[in-house]
Amino acid sequence: MNKLFIGWSEADITPVTNKKIGLYGQYYVRLAEKIHSRLKVTAAAFSSGNDHFLTAGLDNVGMPYAFYESVCKRVAELEKEIDTTKIFLHAIHTHSAPSINPEAGPLGSDPILHCKESLREEDRKIPYEDMLTPAEYSAFACEKVAQALVEAWRNRKEGGIARAFGNARIGHCRRAVYSDNTAEMYGDTTRKDFIGMEAGEDSGVDMLFTFDKEGKKTGLILNVACPSQDMESTYQVSSDFAGATREKLQKEFGSDFRMIYEISPAGCQSPRDLVRHYATEPDFWHADGVEELSNRLLHTVTKAEIGKIDYEPAFESKQVTVSLPRRRVSYPDYLKAKAELARLLAIQPEKEAFIAFCDETHANEKKDGHGPYDDKKHHFSLIKIEKAVLVRYENQDASPVITFPMNVIRMGEIAIATNPFELYLYYGQIIKARSKAKQTFLVQLCNGASFHAGYLPSPAGERFGGYGGLVVNGQVGSDGGYKLCDDTVAEINKMFGE
Amino acid sequence: MKELLIGWSEADITPQTDKKIALYGQYYARTATGIHSPLKCVAAAFDSGEEQFITASLDLVNFQQDLHRKIRALAASMEPEICPEKIFLNAIHTHTGPSATSTGLSDVWRERDKEVLSPEEYIEYLVPIAAQTLADAWHNRRKGGILRAFGNARIGHCRRAVYNNGKAEMYGDTTRSDFIGMEAGEDSGVEMLFTLDEKGKKTGMFLNVACPAQVMEATCRISSDFAGRTRELLKEEFGPSFRTIYQISPAGCQSPRDLVRHYATEPDFWHEDGVEVLAGRLLEAVRKADFSTPEYSPELKHTSLHVTLPRRRATYPEYVKAKEELARLVAVMPEAEAFREFCKETHAKEALSGPGPYDSKLHHFVLIKNQQALIRRYEEQDKDPFLGFDMNVVRLGDIAIATNPFELYLYYGQIIKARSKALQTFLVQLAAGGDHPCGYLPSPDGERFGGYGGLIINGQVGSEGGYQLADITVKEINRLFEDGKEEKA
């Protein structure tokens, strides 16, 4: 076995600008009023013998392939030793950061639809030139992330790893099912026709600690089946509970301690327990929830029973290109969507509907109760849903597959495997159960794909529909989901002697 | 509001006998070789002057309605102020106590051994102790208050693995390439209700968790499992007179084992070390709980009702198929021989001492029993189409308590809790018994995927009755929280 070398680095990626910062993650953009907590990128580099991998977690909502590609390109310019196929980048899914999709406009991807009328009334007078564009932020973030990766690489020193497992109550299924066989994200569970939650949850927390030669803790990969989106409806820049956990761990273990927060498959999860409808805990739509969740994770980490430190772990890193079938629309569904779209547009055209949707959302925001403030069954949302079905039908034969780079790592007894989706918990459980690794760190929202990957729903999610389960919400359905499981398990188990 | 009076009491119900003690809860017999931890009955009485309820937990796997009614009647005869219908008891589902039922499934197919304490003998021993414990709790009433709290602990997990042939298996192998996910979720939420004395000192608690106490289920030692161990740890925490009633929230599909991580990161929760870990987690949950404000005159309302649910029916084609299949199975190996084989294989696996389960629910013998049960159901379902049971529903301040006699799948518990108007809803399964051995009440998925826990042999009621149970329970709870608002359509 070879000695292990580990390097960490962290950089602030909060925009440095006098311009207004648009926060991405909802159908509508929010212009930030203030900073709740700084946005960071945390990077780690591991090498052993001739092999290596680098990873970074970004405080952002997603990871477009174009951004991933541009970071890899920049790293290649900065540091020749790094094989950029051994890099994987992922997002913590905070909805309180600017976009890193360079093609998006200041208020969204559609220049006609995403106009100033979609903003709160008090923000509509702000000129476009006073708004930070995603292109500007992407360029800024790309350089910071590339530099952080290179710095992590150059910081490598002899070190070791130890795995740990703990538990924390963080994520819950957010999809309520009704007796008409439909599901709704954040649906009302007090309704008489509520017939259960669509899926389960996972309180398990997988941890991988790193140590220096003297056995001092230097960093942690914290893998949790919940996105960091407590602050998703606020007007504050925030790294959410993942960022708060990171800060608390630095207080606990020293200011140079680094933490990467990875989201295990959790496309159907969020921090809210719809069964108890906020009667016993914070509602996890406000800043108090950030404190609560980060305290839980801090407690989990500090209580973790850490295994033996391995300074010469088995080590293998690879990137494979995965191809999955896109979810298809049938001809009858296409015809139905066309007729329904015509009916909807006759009642209210799309732009008008969008502005009405935003107005209603902003009115709900003012009530300051718990979210969500927008309505995924609004006339505008219905138009979007039908349009997506038409688009899918019309291009599914020309582009029948989605492809993406998947990184798979073996380090000692653990495996790490990535995917670009908001992958439903269901698939994560299948992969973990079938993996030969002692602990399997699955990382969603990673590296991007040939299309915006979106949600990958379970068979139940696909059947019940609703936000997160529809064609509009993702490229791949359950058929591709099962294939993803098989591909991931095959790659992991190959590294463990299968 | 009236002042609240609260009393507690606890008694040992470990059998005192020279006979051998058979441990109850598996298809195969286990004779106790020692005591891991004593079995207890813990009782609490609440009295507002106008209303009352008395509840107790028993460290047993389950019990039937006849036992429940006997205990109720005897307690009421000991203390005339007690209304028998205001009493409800629940089991913690430890599989390492004696049987308190003579109508249990496996009792019917196992031969009695005169050297072994019979269920009737144990019932004779248990009933006066349990009744006395209830009466003692009543006598011990003092002015007091309540304090609700909420916490979390990683305890229960879905134990049913689903495969791509549309079938589920309890503790199925999740490393198989045809494994396509767990059937259901889990709930790390822990509902707590503390009682306080006049000075605000904690005197006891209800600890309501969606997981049965069955880590030790395949061992041969009498044990109150992690629920009993938690009770002892809480005494160390709050003083020796502190009492705990462990209630199982609907968890018919749950057990303490995480099949997704197949024991690589935690104890396997089939052995004694798991008892310590889970009790430690529950102690931690109690220590870190978020508490409400104490209430010394909470609203106390109580409804006792008799519920009837439709029994799950077998169809005619299923009946015909089961008859054919039974004939085929019996021709391959008759039942008695199959049972001997089943036990032999189980004991061989026990000797290996790895994680359980040691028996196979796909064994030839089990398949025979499954078909026999289906045939029996078909033949009696028109004569006896309902299951009846006593349900107790309590409002105590902002909380609700509602009982059911089943091993009720988590799914229904979530529906009831979500629709309940109470700020916290304590659902208590395996309570009060029914007029048939109630068994599991599976979710629609459980019913569809079958396997142990989802078949007719495993329970009287199916999802049709499950939805009715959810509606009845919600209605009764919300009636106690009536504020003039109708439930949403």
Side-chain angles (χ1 to χ4, degrees):
Chain A
M1 292 291 180
N2 294 305
K3 282 182 179 167
L4 183 67
F5 291 82
I6 306 165
W8 285 93
S9 82
E10 184 181 280
D12 194 311
I13 55 169
T14 319
V16 180
T17 178
N18 292 323
K19 293 183 175 181
K20 280 282 184 185
I21 300 166
L23 305 177
Y24 274 68
Q26 304 289 358
Y27 278 1
Y28 54 102
V29 166
R30 293 153 290 139
L31 294 182
E33 290 170 345
K34 61 177 184 179
I35 295 175
H36 164 263
S37 48
R38 310 290 301 178
L39 307 176
K40 302 272 174 81
V41 55
T42 309
F46 295 82
S47 67
S48 169
N50 295 324
D51 207 353
H52 63 266
F53 76 89
L54 295 92
T55 177
L58 266 75
D59 293 344
N60 203 279
V61 72
M63 180 54 61
Y65 181 75
F67 185 83
Y68 167 72
E69 205 179 22
S70 59
V71 169
C72 288
K73 201 173 151 198
R74 182 65 183 132
V75 168
E77 289 166 6
L78 293 168
E79 177 55 72
K80 304 291 177 211
E81 283 181 359
I82 298 173
D83 173 356
T84 56
T85 67
K86 307 271 177 157
I87 294 172
F88 58 94
L89 305 178
H90 61 93
I92 67 162
H93 209 47
T94 176
H95 288 45
S96 314
S99 169
I100 51 171
N101 174 9
E103 286 155 21
L107 296 178
S109 53
D110 186 331
I112 299 168
L113 209 57
H114 297 130
C115 58
K116 281 204 259 179
E117 287 84 349
S118 68
L119 296 171
R120 294 183 303 182
E121 206 171 342
E122 57 265 42
D123 293 333
R124 289 178 194 167
K125 285 181 189 153
I126 298 166
Y128 282 117
E129 54 270 28
D130 287 352
M131 298 178 196
L132 183 74
T133 67
E136 286 168 328
Y137 181 65
S138 298
F140 167 80
C142 174
E143 186 61 26
K144 290 273 189 186
V145 174
Q147 294 284 358
L149 286 162
V150 171
E151 197 184 325
W153 179 258
R154 291 178 182 161
N155 285 343
R156 280 172 306 137
K157 294 193 177 52
E158 272 184 51
I161 53 164
R163 63 190 178 85
F165 181 75
N167 64 87
R169 179 177 164 83
I170 306 290
H172 305 277
C173 180
R174 65 180 184 179
R175 291 171 49 86
V177 182
Y178 301 100
S179 60
D180 62 355
N181 283 323
T182 61
E184 277 180 40
M185 176 174 75
Y186 305 125
D188 180 356
T189 59
T190 67
R191 277 166 47 174
K192 268 186 186 167
D193 60 342
F194 166 64
I195 56 158
M197 301 309 298
E198 185 183 274
E201 59 192 56
D202 183 7
S203 62
V205 175
D206 288 290
M207 292 173 257
L208 185 77
F209 285 92
T210 62
F211 299 84
D212 64 16
K213 261 203 316 189
E214 285 72 42
K216 187 190 164 201
K217 290 188 190 80
T218 54
L220 167 71
I221 294 178
L222 186 65
N223 188 284
V224 180
C226 189
S228 187
Q229 62 181 98
D230 175 287
M231 299 284 283
E232 65 177 291
S233 294
T234 70
Y235 283 74
Q236 298 175 51
V237 172
S238 177
S239 50
D240 218 280
F241 70 82
T245 306
R246 196 170 52 210
E247 305 306 318
K248 286 175 182 172
L249 288 171
Q250 287 180 344
K251 282 190 186 143
E252 183 75 20
F253 296 118
S255 57
D256 55 352
F257 185 85
R258 299 286 172 256
M259 186 273 272
I260 288 181
Y261 184 87
E262 294 176 341
I263 312 174
S264 184
C268 49
Q269 306 281 300
S270 86
R272 295 118 196 170
D273 179 354
L274 301 190
V275 168
R276 293 185 176 85
H277 35 79
Y278 319 134
T280 53
E281 295 174 289
D283 64 18
F284 298 117
W285 288 94
H286 297 90
D288 59 340
V290 169
E291 279 308 295
E292 175 68 25
L293 297 174
S294 56
N295 282 336
R296 289 183 190 174
L297 285 170
L298 174 68
H299 181 75
T300 303
V301 174
T302 53
K303 286 265 173 194
E305 283 179 30
I306 301 172
K308 194 167 170 274
I309 304 174
D310 191 351
Y311 288 94
E312 294 180 354
F315 193 99
E316 190 178 350
S317 158
K318 67 178 161 189
Q319 186 179 79
V320 290
T321 300
V322 175
S323 168
L324 298 179
R326 291 175 76 202
R327 182 173 172 183
R328 294 181 68 85
V329 167
S330 68
Y331 183 64
D333 283 346
Y334 169 67
L335 291 183
K336 197 174 148 202
K338 255 175 114 163
E340 181 61 8
L341 181 63
R343 189 187 72 79
L344 290 167
L345 293 176
I347 296 169
Q348 190 175 34
E350 186 178 5
K351 186 165 177 180
E352 201 181 300
F354 181 58
I355 291 164
F357 165 83
C358 293
D359 284 345
E360 285 179 27
T361 302
H362 299 318
N364 288 336
E365 284 169 347
K366 288 204 170 71
K367 293 177 192 158
D368 202 31
H370 64 74
Y373 303 131
D374 64 346
D375 176 9
K376 293 294 193 298
K377 296 178 93 180
H378 190 276
H379 192 81
F380 165 69
S381 307
L382 302 181
I383 290 174
K384 245 177 100 79
I385 289 166
E386 303 304 344
K387 275 178 79 172
V389 171
L390 300 187
V391 171
R392 179 67 49 84
Y393 183 82
E394 285 162 4
N395 71 22
Q396 63 193 10
D397 290 325
S399 304
V401 297
I402 179 174
T403 58
F404 56 89
M406 174 193 281
N407 287 72
V408 187
I409 311 293
R410 174 180 180 174
M411 196 156 58
E413 292 173 318
I414 73 135
I416 305 172
T418 71
N419 72 78
F421 302 99
E422 294 189 58
L423 186 64
Y424 274 38
L425 183 81
Y426 177 81
Y427 301 109
Q429 291 188 311
I430 296 174
I431 298 167
K432 286 178 197 180
R434 289 177 52 200
S435 161
K436 285 190 183 295
K438 286 268 161 70
Q439 282 180 257
T440 305
F441 291 61
L442 300 176
V443 193
Q444 71 169 28
L445 286 169
C446 197
N447 292 355
S450 56
F451 291 91
H452 171 70
Y455 293 90
L456 201 170
S458 65
E462 206 172 56
R463 191 166 73 246
F464 296 137
Y467 182 84
L470 301 169
V471 164
V472 69
N473 305 122
Q475 296 295 331
V476 179
S478 61
D479 191 47
Y482 285 126
K483 183 172 184 294
L484 174 66
C485 288
D486 265 6
D487 288 356
T488 309
V489 169
E491 293 299 338
I492 291 172
N493 288 353
K494 247 186 251 172
M495 292 180 164
F496 286 80
E498 189 165 79
Chain B
M1 293 281 182
K2 294 269 185 179
E3 282 177 337
L4 185 66
L5 302 180
I6 304 166
W8 286 91
S9 141
E10 182 179 288
D12 195 311
I13 56 168
T14 319
Q16 302 295 316
T17 177
D18 293 331
K19 288 189 166 184
K20 289 180 191 167
I21 298 167
L23 302 177
Y24 187 60
Q26 301 291 358
Y27 277 5
Y28 56 99
R30 287 163 299 141
T31 305
T33 56
I35 297 178
H36 166 260
S37 46
L39 309 176
K40 301 274 175 80
C41 169
V42 186
F46 293 79
D47 174 21
S48 68
E50 291 170 350
E51 189 53 276
Q52 60 172 248
F53 76 94
I54 307 107
T55 181
S57 64
L58 296 169
D59 293 347
L60 295 175
V61 72
N62 59 21
F63 53 82
Q64 308 301 342
Q65 182 177 270
D66 54 353
L67 178 87
H68 194 249
R69 289 185 172 175
K70 269 185 198 169
I71 294 172
R72 274 178 160 183
L74 186 57
S77 73
M78 288 171 170
E79 177 45 74
E81 284 181 348
I82 297 177
C83 305
E85 70 274 16
K86 307 282 183 180
I87 294 172
F88 56 92
L89 291 89
N90 70 282
I92 67 161
H93 210 46
T94 177
H95 287 46
T96 37
S99 169
T101 169
S102 49
T103 54
L105 193 63
S106 47
D107 282 319
V108 180
W109 67 60
R110 289 205 297 250
E111 279 179 28
R112 289 281 178 97
D113 179 345
K114 283 182 184 165
E115 289 181 12
V116 173
L117 183 76
S118 70
E120 293 78 9
E121 287 167 329
Y122 183 62
I123 289 169
E124 203 181 318
Y125 174 75
L126 173 68
V127 170
I129 300 177
Q132 189 62 55
T133 312
L134 291 161
D136 288 348
W138 183 259
H139 290 139
N140 289 342
R141 284 169 304 138
R142 304 275 183 283
K143 279 185 197 169
I146 55 164
L147 181 62
R148 62 184 179 83
F150 182 73
N152 66 87
R154 178 177 164 85
I155 307 288
H157 305 278
C158 179
R159 65 181 184 177
R160 291 171 49 85
V162 183
Y163 301 98
N164 66 10
N165 60 0
K167 291 186 174 169
E169 277 180 39
M170 175 175 75
Y171 305 125
D173 179 357
T174 59
T175 68
R176 278 167 47 176
S177 58
D178 60 342
F179 165 64
I180 57 159
M182 301 310 297
E183 185 182 275
E186 61 192 54
D187 183 6
S188 62
V190 177
E191 314 288 347
M192 300 176 222
L193 182 77
F194 288 88
T195 59
L196 310 170
D197 67 14
E198 265 191 303
K199 291 175 184 160
K201 188 187 164 203
K202 294 185 180 77
T203 53
M205 77 179 296
F206 294 168
L207 187 62
N208 188 286
V209 181
C211 189
Q214 63 182 99
V215 167
M216 299 286 282
E217 65 175 292
T219 73
C220 291
R221 292 160 73 197
I222 290 173
S223 175
S224 50
D225 218 277
F226 71 81
R229 183 63 186 139
T230 306
R231 199 166 51 207
E232 299 309 312
L233 291 177
L234 289 169
K235 284 182 189 171
E236 287 171 24
E237 184 79 5
F238 296 116
S241 61
F242 187 85
R243 300 285 173 258
T244 304
I245 287 182
Y246 185 84
Q247 299 172 332
I248 312 174
S249 184
C253 49
Q254 306 282 299
S255 86
R257 294 116 196 171
D258 180 353
L259 301 190
V260 168
R261 292 184 174 84
H262 36 78
Y263 319 136
T265 53
E266 295 175 289
D268 63 19
F269 297 117
W270 287 96
H271 298 90
E272 201 175 331
D273 57 343
V275 169
E276 288 301 315
V277 170
L278 297 181
R281 287 184 189 170
L282 285 170
L283 175 66
E284 186 74 12
V286 171
R287 282 178 174 162
K288 294 192 81 78
D290 289 323
F291 292 97
S292 66
T293 312
E295 277 189 276
Y296 287 88
S297 302
E299 184 127 28
L300 174 57
K301 293 181 180 176
H302 187 174
T303 307
S304 318
L305 66 157
H306 192 73
V307 176
T308 54
L309 297 178
R311 290 176 78 199
R312 181 174 170 184
R313 294 177 68 86
T315 64
Y316 181 69
E318 284 169 342
Y319 169 66
V320 171
K321 197 174 151 203
K323 271 174 91 165
E324 279 175 15
E325 182 61 7
L326 180 62
R328 190 190 70 77
L329 288 166
V330 172
V332 174
M333 190 190 293
E335 182 181 348
E337 193 185 337
F339 185 54
R340 279 195 298 276
E341 279 297 312
F342 169 78
C343 293
K344 198 173 142 191
E345 285 179 24
T346 301
H347 296 316
K349 277 188 202 148
E350 267 177 337
L352 301 176
S353 190
Y358 303 132
D359 63 343
S360 165
K361 293 294 194 293
L362 293 169
H363 191 277
H364 191 83
F365 166 70
V366 178
L367 301 182
I368 288 175
K369 300 312 294 182
N370 292 347
Q371 304 305 332
Q372 285 176 345
L374 195 143
I375 293 165
R376 198 176 316 117
R377 178 67 50 85
Y378 182 82
E379 288 171 353
E380 67 183 30
Q381 64 195 11
D382 290 330
K383 280 180 281 183
D384 192 8
F386 298 107
L387 170 84
F389 60 89
D390 299 325
M391 176 190 278
N392 289 75
V393 185
V394 174
R395 174 180 179 172
L396 187 61
D398 290 325
I399 75 143
I401 306 170
T403 68
N404 73 79
F406 302 99
E407 294 188 59
L408 185 64
Y409 274 37
L410 183 82
Y411 177 80
Y412 301 107
Q414 291 188 312
I415 295 175
I416 298 167
K417 287 178 198 179
R419 289 176 52 200
S420 162
K421 285 185 192 290
L423 288 188
Q424 284 180 260
T425 304
F426 291 60
L427 300 177
V428 190
Q429 71 168 28
L430 287 168
D435 57 18
H436 297 72
C438 298
Y440 294 90
L441 201 170
S443 65
D445 278 348
E447 206 170 56
R448 188 166 78 245
F449 296 139
Y452 181 84
L455 301 169
I456 278 184
I457 190 173
N458 306 122
Q460 297 295 333
V461 178
S463 60
E464 169 76 11
Y467 284 126
Q468 285 190 29
L469 174 66
D471 260 7
I472 292 166
T473 311
V474 169
K475 197 172 144 199
E476 293 300 333
I477 291 173
N478 289 353
R479 195 180 282 171
L480 300 182
F481 286 79
E482 207 62 54
D483 55 7
K485 274 188 268 173
E486 281 295 309
E487 246 197 303
K488 287 176 196 167

